[in-house]
Amino acid sequence: MLDLARLRVLREVARHGSLTRAAAALSYTTSALSQQISVLEREAGARLFERHARGVRLTEAGRALLDHTERILTELRAAESTLAAICAGEGGRLRFGSYTTANATLMPMAVRSFLRERPGVSVELVEADRDEAVAAVAAHELDLALVYEFPAVPLVRPANVEVRPLLVDPLHIALPPGHRLAGRARVRLAELAGERWIQGVHRGSTVDVLPQACRQAGFEPVIAFRTDDQMTVRGLVAAGLGVALAPFLTLPATAPDLVVRPLSEPALTRTVMTATPAQAHRLPAATAMIEHLRAVAAELRAGGGRGRRRAWTGTGPGRRRVWTAAGLDGHRGVRLTE
């Protein structure tokens, strides 16, 4: 095995053409440097230098080894630079998981802001609901995830995952135009007894949140359709086929053919949180992304849910499809995975 330190000696001797000058440049004695060259020649199994009147010059084997040495040292410098960027949160990869309704405003606005500040980071976006996302963070398959919990359905927190609150997301009610409650400033859940519901959760630990809340309000909901696809939810409600819950986070992306009103129902308020590996394993880029998420959350709260940027939404059942998209504002690009 060739020794890297001795390869550096090879390069310096070749550069100076003299053992004495190379020794001075490396702060070696000439004798010590000569010994290093002798050991390297034994490791290489070939003579690397030949003496002449003005110093030393490379043999054919020495020239070949020097070519490889230059490439090795170039790659080593690149590796050091890459590692330094990752440690500073300025490079490398960030695997970021997010659930469907957070993809409407919170996630894309934060990623856009993050990439403007840190264009050297390659962000991989994965759509995953909360339980799947927390499991992926615990398994170190994700570096950061947006998750949530309802009062009646707390999030299960693995010991190696750190969860921090980000914002409160009160659910609203989406109504079709002309609905009997469309003119109200606020709607009580009990007033929706007898309505057909389009439930925006098809499976998972939170699928019973709506039925439980309705039962507490004194009625059994009629679930006409369940889907994880928020575009389908909006289309069915706009067509007058039912009513649906609408998270605060989706309000900036709400279609103009829907009427959305606040709900007076504490059980239908959820806390949005960030989930990361424990501190010792957290990437600096994840910490930086959380700061952008906090800034966007504050902006959304201040605006009452009215975002300034065009919203992005995913479609489908939310089980790991892959999209590709060009980079934002000329950045490296974002890989989108459901």
Side-chain angles (χ1 to χ4, degrees):
M1 178 70 70
L2 298 175
D3 180 80
L4 183 60
R6 284 190 279 274
L7 290 176
R8 293 183 189 274
V9 170
L10 170 77
R11 184 183 62 174
E12 287 302 312
V13 174
R15 177 181 298 171
H16 292 282
S18 162
L19 294 180
T20 302
R21 289 193 295 271
L26 292 171
S27 299
Y28 280 30
T29 65
T30 302
S31 174
L33 185 136
S34 180
Q35 290 175 5
Q36 291 294 310
I37 292 296
S38 296
V39 173
L40 180 60
E41 288 181 328
R42 286 198 297 272
E43 291 175 342
R47 191 177 174 195
L48 303 175
F49 289 98
E50 56 186 21
R51 295 181 180 274
H52 61 89
R54 293 186 297 275
V56 295
R57 57 174 169 255
L58 289 166
T59 63
E60 187 62 29
R63 279 191 291 272
L65 183 56
L66 179 63
D67 288 343
H68 287 286
T69 296
E70 295 290 4
R71 289 196 291 272
I72 290 168
L73 294 177
T74 297
E75 286 297 318
L76 183 60
R77 287 191 295 271
E80 290 171 342
S81 178
T82 298
L83 291 174
I86 291 172
C87 291
E90 300 288 349
R93 177 183 64 167
L94 177 65
R95 299 167 299 174
F96 182 9
S98 179
Y99 58 94
T100 305
T101 52
N103 294 344
T105 51
L106 178 60
M107 179 275 285
M109 291 169 68
V111 171
R112 182 183 183 90
S113 174
F114 174 89
L115 286 176
R116 284 174 170 167
E117 181 181 281
R118 299 169 186 264
V121 178
S122 177
V123 179
E124 180 178 311
L125 300 177
V126 178
E127 182 170 286
D129 201 29
R130 64 171 206 168
D131 301 322
E132 182 186 5
V134 167
V137 171
H140 298 283
E141 295 171 359
L142 289 176
D143 305 305
L144 168 66
L146 284 171
V147 296
Y148 59 90
E149 68 179 1
F150 288 95
V153 190
L155 181 72
V156 176
R157 294 165 166 80
N160 64 337
V161 174
E162 184 173 320
V163 177
R164 294 185 176 183
L166 188 63
L167 81 160
V168 174
D169 185 14
L171 302 191
H172 292 52
I173 189 70
L175 308 168
H179 190 275
R180 59 187 175 85
L181 299 174
R184 301 282 289 276
R186 181 175 290 272
V187 175
R188 290 184 298 109
L189 188 58
E191 295 177 293
L192 296 164
E195 296 284 349
R196 292 166 59 85
W197 286 85
I198 311 300
Q199 188 173 5
V201 180
H202 188 256
R203 62 177 68 85
S205 60
T206 61
V207 72
D208 289 328
V209 169
L210 172 62
Q212 288 178 8
C214 292
R215 290 173 195 134
Q216 291 175 2
F219 68 96
E220 186 69 27
V222 178
I223 308 294
F225 196 78
R226 284 191 176 95
T227 178
D228 293 315
D229 184 350
Q230 296 304 303
M231 295 297 290
T232 299
V233 172
R234 295 171 190 172
L236 292 172
V237 173
L241 300 179
V243 300
L245 295 176
F248 169 81
L249 289 178
T250 66
L251 298 188
T254 300
D257 53 353
L258 294 181
V259 177
V260 179
R261 295 290 179 262
L263 269 176
S264 298
E265 181 49 60
L268 293 177
T269 296
R270 63 185 178 181
T271 301
V272 177
M273 301 171 289
T274 60
T276 60
Q279 179 69 41
H281 302 284
R282 186 187 311 154
L283 287 178
T287 300
M289 181 67 82
I290 289 172
E291 292 307 309
H292 286 271
L293 287 165
R294 292 192 182 285
V296 172
E299 181 181 339
L300 290 171
R301 285 194 300 268
R306 297 184 299 275
R308 294 199 304 258
R309 301 180 179 91
R310 185 177 181 181
W312 173 88
T313 56
T315 61
R319 285 294 179 268
R320 304 227 173 196
R321 281 181 321 200
V322 176
W323 297 327
T324 56
L328 298 172
D329 296 341
H331 297 298
R332 292 180 59 180
V334 183
R335 183 171 183 267
L336 307 177
T337 309
E338 285 187 71

PDB file of all heavy atoms in Angstrom, residues 263-296:
ATOM      1  N   LEU A 263     -63.497  26.474  11.474  1.00  0.00           N
ATOM      2  CA  LEU A 263     -64.312  25.557  12.264  1.00  0.00           C
ATOM      3  C   LEU A 263     -64.097  25.828  13.751  1.00  0.00           C
ATOM      4  O   LEU A 263     -62.967  26.049  14.186  1.00  0.00           O
ATOM      5  CB  LEU A 263     -63.911  24.107  11.986  1.00  0.00           C
ATOM      6  CG  LEU A 263     -64.630  23.346  10.883  1.00  0.00           C
ATOM      7  CD1 LEU A 263     -63.986  21.962  10.730  1.00  0.00           C
ATOM      8  CD2 LEU A 263     -66.116  23.202  11.172  1.00  0.00           C
ATOM      9  N   SER A 264     -65.178  25.819  14.512  1.00  0.00           N
ATOM     10  CA  SER A 264     -65.080  25.938  15.963  1.00  0.00           C
ATOM     11  C   SER A 264     -65.007  24.536  16.551  1.00  0.00           C
ATOM     12  O   SER A 264     -65.996  23.997  17.051  1.00  0.00           O
ATOM     13  CB  SER A 264     -66.292  26.708  16.523  1.00  0.00           C
ATOM     14  OG  SER A 264     -66.341  28.015  16.011  1.00  0.00           O
ATOM     15  N   GLU A 265     -63.834  23.921  16.442  1.00  0.00           N
ATOM     16  CA  GLU A 265     -63.684  22.541  16.908  1.00  0.00           C
ATOM     17  C   GLU A 265     -62.220  22.281  17.293  1.00  0.00           C
ATOM     18  O   GLU A 265     -61.380  22.009  16.432  1.00  0.00           O
ATOM     19  CB  GLU A 265     -64.121  21.560  15.822  1.00  0.00           C
ATOM     20  CG  GLU A 265     -64.034  20.105  16.211  1.00  0.00           C
ATOM     21  CD  GLU A 265     -64.681  19.820  17.545  1.00  0.00           C
ATOM     22  OE1 GLU A 265     -65.899  20.073  17.668  1.00  0.00           O
ATOM     23  OE2 GLU A 265     -63.969  19.370  18.456  1.00  0.00           O
ATOM     24  N   PRO A 266     -61.883  22.408  18.598  1.00  0.00           N
ATOM     25  CA  PRO A 266     -60.483  22.215  19.029  1.00  0.00           C
ATOM     26  C   PRO A 266     -59.905  20.856  18.649  1.00  0.00           C
ATOM     27  O   PRO A 266     -58.700  20.746  18.405  1.00  0.00           O
ATOM     28  CB  PRO A 266     -60.570  22.367  20.550  1.00  0.00           C
ATOM     29  CG  PRO A 266     -61.820  23.157  20.795  1.00  0.00           C
ATOM     30  CD  PRO A 266     -62.769  22.756  19.704  1.00  0.00           C
ATOM     31  N   ALA A 267     -60.754  19.810  18.600  1.00  0.00           N
ATOM     32  CA  ALA A 267     -60.245  18.479  18.278  1.00  0.00           C
ATOM     33  C   ALA A 267     -59.719  18.405  16.848  1.00  0.00           C
ATOM     34  O   ALA A 267     -58.962  17.499  16.506  1.00  0.00           O
ATOM     35  CB  ALA A 267     -61.337  17.431  18.481  1.00  0.00           C
ATOM     36  N   LEU A 268     -60.118  19.356  16.011  1.00  0.00           N
ATOM     37  CA  LEU A 268     -59.689  19.366  14.615  1.00  0.00           C
ATOM     38  C   LEU A 268     -58.622  20.435  14.379  1.00  0.00           C
ATOM     39  O   LEU A 268     -58.590  21.111  13.357  1.00  0.00           O
ATOM     40  CB  LEU A 268     -60.888  19.579  13.693  1.00  0.00           C
ATOM     41  CG  LEU A 268     -61.888  18.422  13.682  1.00  0.00           C
ATOM     42  CD1 LEU A 268     -63.083  18.735  12.790  1.00  0.00           C
ATOM     43  CD2 LEU A 268     -61.223  17.121  13.237  1.00  0.00           C
ATOM     44  N   THR A 269     -57.760  20.584  15.350  1.00  0.00           N
ATOM     45  CA  THR A 269     -56.575  21.436  15.242  1.00  0.00           C
ATOM     46  C   THR A 269     -55.354  20.547  15.428  1.00  0.00           C
ATOM     47  O   THR A 269     -55.293  19.762  16.375  1.00  0.00           O
ATOM     48  CB  THR A 269     -56.590  22.548  16.306  1.00  0.00           C
ATOM     49  OG1 THR A 269     -57.702  23.411  16.066  1.00  0.00           O
ATOM     50  CG2 THR A 269     -55.295  23.358  16.250  1.00  0.00           C
ATOM     51  N   ARG A 270     -54.407  20.651  14.545  1.00  0.00           N
ATOM     52  CA  ARG A 270     -53.221  19.813  14.660  1.00  0.00           C
ATOM     53  C   ARG A 270     -51.972  20.674  14.816  1.00  0.00           C
ATOM     54  O   ARG A 270     -51.950  21.852  14.432  1.00  0.00           O
ATOM     55  CB  ARG A 270     -53.080  18.907  13.445  1.00  0.00           C
ATOM     56  CG  ARG A 270     -52.883  19.624  12.122  1.00  0.00           C
ATOM     57  CD  ARG A 270     -52.888  18.628  10.968  1.00  0.00           C
ATOM     58  NE  ARG A 270     -52.750  19.308   9.686  1.00  0.00           N
ATOM     59  CZ  ARG A 270     -52.750  18.671   8.511  1.00  0.00           C
ATOM     60  NH1 ARG A 270     -52.879  17.358   8.467  1.00  0.00           N
ATOM     61  NH2 ARG A 270     -52.620  19.348   7.384  1.00  0.00           N
ATOM     62  N   THR A 271     -50.953  20.080  15.392  1.00  0.00           N
ATOM     63  CA  THR A 271     -49.667  20.746  15.556  1.00  0.00           C
ATOM     64  C   THR A 271     -48.705  20.209  14.506  1.00  0.00           C
ATOM     65  O   THR A 271     -48.495  19.000  14.409  1.00  0.00           O
ATOM     66  CB  THR A 271     -49.091  20.488  16.959  1.00  0.00           C
ATOM     67  OG1 THR A 271     -50.023  20.964  17.937  1.00  0.00           O
ATOM     68  CG2 THR A 271     -47.767  21.218  17.130  1.00  0.00           C
ATOM     69  N   VAL A 272     -48.169  21.104  13.719  1.00  0.00           N
ATOM     70  CA  VAL A 272     -47.180  20.725  12.702  1.00  0.00           C
ATOM     71  C   VAL A 272     -45.799  20.792  13.350  1.00  0.00           C
ATOM     72  O   VAL A 272     -45.475  21.749  14.072  1.00  0.00           O
ATOM     73  CB  VAL A 272     -47.249  21.667  11.488  1.00  0.00           C
ATOM     74  CG1 VAL A 272     -46.175  21.314  10.452  1.00  0.00           C
ATOM     75  CG2 VAL A 272     -48.636  21.602  10.862  1.00  0.00           C
ATOM     76  N   MET A 273     -44.979  19.784  13.112  1.00  0.00           N
ATOM     77  CA  MET A 273     -43.682  19.677  13.770  1.00  0.00           C
ATOM     78  C   MET A 273     -42.600  19.247  12.776  1.00  0.00           C
ATOM     79  O   MET A 273     -42.904  18.739  11.705  1.00  0.00           O
ATOM     80  CB  MET A 273     -43.773  18.644  14.899  1.00  0.00           C
ATOM     81  CG  MET A 273     -44.816  18.983  15.944  1.00  0.00           C
ATOM     82  SD  MET A 273     -45.101  17.647  17.136  1.00  0.00           S
ATOM     83  CE  MET A 273     -45.949  16.455  16.107  1.00  0.00           C
ATOM     84  N   THR A 274     -41.371  19.486  13.162  1.00  0.00           N
ATOM     85  CA  THR A 274     -40.233  18.966  12.403  1.00  0.00           C
ATOM     86  C   THR A 274     -39.687  17.744  13.134  1.00  0.00           C
ATOM     87  O   THR A 274     -39.666  17.700  14.366  1.00  0.00           O
ATOM     88  CB  THR A 274     -39.115  20.010  12.261  1.00  0.00           C
ATOM     89  OG1 THR A 274     -38.656  20.398  13.561  1.00  0.00           O
ATOM     90  CG2 THR A 274     -39.612  21.223  11.493  1.00  0.00           C
ATOM     91  N   ALA A 275     -39.257  16.773  12.374  1.00  0.00           N
ATOM     92  CA  ALA A 275     -38.635  15.572  12.936  1.00  0.00           C
ATOM     93  C   ALA A 275     -37.258  15.404  12.310  1.00  0.00           C
ATOM     94  O   ALA A 275     -37.112  15.439  11.078  1.00  0.00           O
ATOM     95  CB  ALA A 275     -39.490  14.338  12.660  1.00  0.00           C
ATOM     96  N   THR A 276     -36.259  15.250  13.148  1.00  0.00           N
ATOM     97  CA  THR A 276     -34.885  15.053  12.683  1.00  0.00           C
ATOM     98  C   THR A 276     -34.237  13.946  13.510  1.00  0.00           C
ATOM     99  O   THR A 276     -34.714  13.616  14.604  1.00  0.00           O
ATOM    100  CB  THR A 276     -34.044  16.336  12.855  1.00  0.00           C
ATOM    101  OG1 THR A 276     -34.028  16.696  14.249  1.00  0.00           O
ATOM    102  CG2 THR A 276     -34.591  17.481  12.025  1.00  0.00           C
ATOM    103  N   PRO A 277     -33.153  13.367  13.015  1.00  0.00           N
ATOM    104  CA  PRO A 277     -32.379  12.477  13.881  1.00  0.00           C
ATOM    105  C   PRO A 277     -31.901  13.245  15.112  1.00  0.00           C
ATOM    106  O   PRO A 277     -31.844  14.480  15.100  1.00  0.00           O
ATOM    107  CB  PRO A 277     -31.207  12.055  12.996  1.00  0.00           C
ATOM    108  CG  PRO A 277     -31.684  12.260  11.594  1.00  0.00           C
ATOM    109  CD  PRO A 277     -32.593  13.449  11.655  1.00  0.00           C
ATOM    110  N   ALA A 278     -31.576  12.527  16.165  1.00  0.00           N
ATOM    111  CA  ALA A 278     -31.070  13.158  17.377  1.00  0.00           C
ATOM    112  C   ALA A 278     -29.881  14.059  17.049  1.00  0.00           C
ATOM    113  O   ALA A 278     -29.213  13.890  16.029  1.00  0.00           O
ATOM    114  CB  ALA A 278     -30.674  12.092  18.388  1.00  0.00           C
ATOM    115  N   GLN A 279     -29.620  15.014  17.926  1.00  0.00           N
ATOM    116  CA  GLN A 279     -28.659  16.091  17.683  1.00  0.00           C
ATOM    117  C   GLN A 279     -27.328  15.606  17.125  1.00  0.00           C
ATOM    118  O   GLN A 279     -26.783  16.198  16.193  1.00  0.00           O
ATOM    119  CB  GLN A 279     -28.426  16.856  18.985  1.00  0.00           C
ATOM    120  CG  GLN A 279     -27.429  17.994  18.884  1.00  0.00           C
ATOM    121  CD  GLN A 279     -27.943  19.150  18.047  1.00  0.00           C
ATOM    122  OE1 GLN A 279     -29.106  19.521  18.134  1.00  0.00           O
ATOM    123  NE2 GLN A 279     -27.086  19.715  17.209  1.00  0.00           N
ATOM    124  N   ALA A 280     -26.812  14.526  17.649  1.00  0.00           N
ATOM    125  CA  ALA A 280     -25.489  14.053  17.228  1.00  0.00           C
ATOM    126  C   ALA A 280     -25.454  13.629  15.761  1.00  0.00           C
ATOM    127  O   ALA A 280     -24.396  13.617  15.140  1.00  0.00           O
ATOM    128  CB  ALA A 280     -25.041  12.881  18.111  1.00  0.00           C
ATOM    129  N   HIS A 281     -26.603  13.300  15.190  1.00  0.00           N
ATOM    130  CA  HIS A 281     -26.656  12.811  13.814  1.00  0.00           C
ATOM    131  C   HIS A 281     -27.347  13.798  12.871  1.00  0.00           C
ATOM    132  O   HIS A 281     -27.575  13.467  11.710  1.00  0.00           O
ATOM    133  CB  HIS A 281     -27.388  11.472  13.768  1.00  0.00           C
ATOM    134  CG  HIS A 281     -26.764  10.414  14.615  1.00  0.00           C
ATOM    135  ND1 HIS A 281     -25.616   9.742  14.246  1.00  0.00           N
ATOM    136  CD2 HIS A 281     -27.110   9.914  15.831  1.00  0.00           C
ATOM    137  CE1 HIS A 281     -25.288   8.878  15.189  1.00  0.00           C
ATOM    138  NE2 HIS A 281     -26.173   8.956  16.160  1.00  0.00           N
ATOM    139  N   ARG A 282     -27.672  14.984  13.334  1.00  0.00           N
ATOM    140  CA  ARG A 282     -28.411  15.941  12.500  1.00  0.00           C
ATOM    141  C   ARG A 282     -27.466  16.685  11.566  1.00  0.00           C
ATOM    142  O   ARG A 282     -26.420  17.188  11.982  1.00  0.00           O
ATOM    143  CB  ARG A 282     -29.161  16.940  13.372  1.00  0.00           C
ATOM    144  CG  ARG A 282     -30.079  17.871  12.557  1.00  0.00           C
ATOM    145  CD  ARG A 282     -30.685  18.948  13.411  1.00  0.00           C
ATOM    146  NE  ARG A 282     -31.259  18.386  14.611  1.00  0.00           N
ATOM    147  CZ  ARG A 282     -31.399  19.063  15.746  1.00  0.00           C
ATOM    148  NH1 ARG A 282     -30.967  20.304  15.840  1.00  0.00           N
ATOM    149  NH2 ARG A 282     -31.940  18.473  16.798  1.00  0.00           N
ATOM    150  N   LEU A 283     -27.842  16.783  10.308  1.00  0.00           N
ATOM    151  CA  LEU A 283     -27.050  17.533   9.340  1.00  0.00           C
ATOM    152  C   LEU A 283     -27.222  19.030   9.571  1.00  0.00           C
ATOM    153  O   LEU A 283     -28.337  19.508   9.824  1.00  0.00           O
ATOM    154  CB  LEU A 283     -27.494  17.198   7.923  1.00  0.00           C
ATOM    155  CG  LEU A 283     -27.124  15.834   7.354  1.00  0.00           C
ATOM    156  CD1 LEU A 283     -27.694  15.690   5.957  1.00  0.00           C
ATOM    157  CD2 LEU A 283     -25.614  15.638   7.331  1.00  0.00           C
ATOM    158  N   PRO A 284     -26.147  19.811   9.432  1.00  0.00           N
ATOM    159  CA  PRO A 284     -26.287  21.265   9.509  1.00  0.00           C
ATOM    160  C   PRO A 284     -27.292  21.812   8.488  1.00  0.00           C
ATOM    161  O   PRO A 284     -27.994  22.788   8.760  1.00  0.00           O
ATOM    162  CB  PRO A 284     -24.870  21.768   9.231  1.00  0.00           C
ATOM    163  CG  PRO A 284     -23.984  20.660   9.693  1.00  0.00           C
ATOM    164  CD  PRO A 284     -24.728  19.401   9.350  1.00  0.00           C
ATOM    165  N   ALA A 285     -27.375  21.180   7.316  1.00  0.00           N
ATOM    166  CA  ALA A 285     -28.346  21.632   6.310  1.00  0.00           C
ATOM    167  C   ALA A 285     -29.767  21.449   6.810  1.00  0.00           C
ATOM    168  O   ALA A 285     -30.662  22.258   6.490  1.00  0.00           O
ATOM    169  CB  ALA A 285     -28.147  20.869   5.001  1.00  0.00           C
ATOM    170  N   ALA A 286     -30.025  20.400   7.588  1.00  0.00           N
ATOM    171  CA  ALA A 286     -31.363  20.198   8.153  1.00  0.00           C
ATOM    172  C   ALA A 286     -31.694  21.299   9.150  1.00  0.00           C
ATOM    173  O   ALA A 286     -32.814  21.828   9.170  1.00  0.00           O
ATOM    174  CB  ALA A 286     -31.458  18.825   8.813  1.00  0.00           C
ATOM    175  N   THR A 287     -30.722  21.658   9.970  1.00  0.00           N
ATOM    176  CA  THR A 287     -30.929  22.752  10.924  1.00  0.00           C
ATOM    177  C   THR A 287     -31.228  24.056  10.196  1.00  0.00           C
ATOM    178  O   THR A 287     -32.107  24.823  10.595  1.00  0.00           O
ATOM    179  CB  THR A 287     -29.674  22.912  11.818  1.00  0.00           C
ATOM    180  OG1 THR A 287     -29.452  21.687  12.524  1.00  0.00           O
ATOM    181  CG2 THR A 287     -29.850  24.039  12.815  1.00  0.00           C
ATOM    182  N   ALA A 288     -30.502  24.294   9.101  1.00  0.00           N
ATOM    183  CA  ALA A 288     -30.741  25.505   8.314  1.00  0.00           C
ATOM    184  C   ALA A 288     -32.127  25.485   7.677  1.00  0.00           C
ATOM    185  O   ALA A 288     -32.826  26.507   7.651  1.00  0.00           O
ATOM    186  CB  ALA A 288     -29.668  25.649   7.236  1.00  0.00           C
ATOM    187  N   MET A 289     -32.554  24.322   7.163  1.00  0.00           N
ATOM    188  CA  MET A 289     -33.881  24.228   6.556  1.00  0.00           C
ATOM    189  C   MET A 289     -34.973  24.499   7.585  1.00  0.00           C
ATOM    190  O   MET A 289     -35.999  25.134   7.272  1.00  0.00           O
ATOM    191  CB  MET A 289     -34.075  22.848   5.929  1.00  0.00           C
ATOM    192  CG  MET A 289     -35.426  22.659   5.240  1.00  0.00           C
ATOM    193  SD  MET A 289     -35.650  23.684   3.756  1.00  0.00           S
ATOM    194  CE  MET A 289     -34.782  22.663   2.549  1.00  0.00           C
ATOM    195  N   ILE A 290     -34.777  24.051   8.812  1.00  0.00           N
ATOM    196  CA  ILE A 290     -35.776  24.291   9.859  1.00  0.00           C
ATOM    197  C   ILE A 290     -35.954  25.792  10.084  1.00  0.00           C
ATOM    198  O   ILE A 290     -37.065  26.274  10.306  1.00  0.00           O
ATOM    199  CB  ILE A 290     -35.373  23.567  11.158  1.00  0.00           C
ATOM    200  CG1 ILE A 290     -35.533  22.055  10.975  1.00  0.00           C
ATOM    201  CG2 ILE A 290     -36.220  24.045  12.337  1.00  0.00           C
ATOM    202  CD1 ILE A 290     -34.991  21.232  12.125  1.00  0.00           C
ATOM    203  N   GLU A 291     -34.869  26.545  10.027  1.00  0.00           N
ATOM    204  CA  GLU A 291     -34.980  27.995  10.187  1.00  0.00           C
ATOM    205  C   GLU A 291     -35.809  28.607   9.068  1.00  0.00           C
ATOM    206  O   GLU A 291     -36.600  29.528   9.301  1.00  0.00           O
ATOM    207  CB  GLU A 291     -33.585  28.628  10.243  1.00  0.00           C
ATOM    208  CG  GLU A 291     -32.806  28.260  11.492  1.00  0.00           C
ATOM    209  CD  GLU A 291     -33.594  28.542  12.762  1.00  0.00           C
ATOM    210  OE1 GLU A 291     -34.096  29.677  12.906  1.00  0.00           O
ATOM    211  OE2 GLU A 291     -33.732  27.632  13.603  1.00  0.00           O
ATOM    212  N   HIS A 292     -35.664  28.108   7.864  1.00  0.00           N
ATOM    213  CA  HIS A 292     -36.484  28.607   6.753  1.00  0.00           C
ATOM    214  C   HIS A 292     -37.947  28.193   6.937  1.00  0.00           C
ATOM    215  O   HIS A 292     -38.861  28.963   6.620  1.00  0.00           O
ATOM    216  CB  HIS A 292     -35.932  28.094   5.425  1.00  0.00           C
ATOM    217  CG  HIS A 292     -34.662  28.777   5.007  1.00  0.00           C
ATOM    218  ND1 HIS A 292     -34.648  29.926   4.246  1.00  0.00           N
ATOM    219  CD2 HIS A 292     -33.367  28.485   5.283  1.00  0.00           C
ATOM    220  CE1 HIS A 292     -33.397  30.305   4.054  1.00  0.00           C
ATOM    221  NE2 HIS A 292     -32.600  29.446   4.671  1.00  0.00           N
ATOM    222  N   LEU A 293     -38.178  26.994   7.438  1.00  0.00           N
ATOM    223  CA  LEU A 293     -39.542  26.560   7.729  1.00  0.00           C
ATOM    224  C   LEU A 293     -40.178  27.462   8.780  1.00  0.00           C
ATOM    225  O   LEU A 293     -41.358  27.832   8.668  1.00  0.00           O
ATOM    226  CB  LEU A 293     -39.549  25.110   8.212  1.00  0.00           C
ATOM    227  CG  LEU A 293     -39.277  24.047   7.148  1.00  0.00           C
ATOM    228  CD1 LEU A 293     -38.944  22.703   7.803  1.00  0.00           C
ATOM    229  CD2 LEU A 293     -40.487  23.895   6.211  1.00  0.00           C
ATOM    230  N   ARG A 294     -39.413  27.827   9.798  1.00  0.00           N
ATOM    231  CA  ARG A 294     -39.950  28.703  10.842  1.00  0.00           C
ATOM    232  C   ARG A 294     -40.298  30.080  10.267  1.00  0.00           C
ATOM    233  O   ARG A 294     -41.319  30.673  10.625  1.00  0.00           O
ATOM    234  CB  ARG A 294     -38.941  28.847  11.978  1.00  0.00           C
ATOM    235  CG  ARG A 294     -38.740  27.566  12.767  1.00  0.00           C
ATOM    236  CD  ARG A 294     -37.958  27.822  14.055  1.00  0.00           C
ATOM    237  NE  ARG A 294     -37.724  26.581  14.770  1.00  0.00           N
ATOM    238  CZ  ARG A 294     -38.642  25.927  15.466  1.00  0.00           C
ATOM    239  NH1 ARG A 294     -39.874  26.431  15.569  1.00  0.00           N
ATOM    240  NH2 ARG A 294     -38.342  24.794  16.082  1.00  0.00           N
ATOM    241  N   ALA A 295     -39.450  30.578   9.386  1.00  0.00           N
ATOM    242  CA  ALA A 295     -39.717  31.885   8.781  1.00  0.00           C
ATOM    243  C   ALA A 295     -40.989  31.848   7.928  1.00  0.00           C
ATOM    244  O   ALA A 295     -41.813  32.764   7.972  1.00  0.00           O
ATOM    245  CB  ALA A 295     -38.522  32.328   7.936  1.00  0.00           C
ATOM    246  N   VAL A 296     -41.149  30.774   7.146  1.00  0.00           N
ATOM    247  CA  VAL A 296     -42.352  30.645   6.313  1.00  0.00           C
ATOM    248  C   VAL A 296     -43.586  30.472   7.195  1.00  0.00           C
ATOM    249  O   VAL A 296     -44.644  31.064   6.927  1.00  0.00           O
ATOM    250  CB  VAL A 296     -42.214  29.467   5.338  1.00  0.00           C
ATOM    251  CG1 VAL A 296     -43.541  29.202   4.610  1.00  0.00           C
ATOM    252  CG2 VAL A 296     -41.109  29.754   4.324  1.00  0.00           C
TER     253      VAL A 296
END
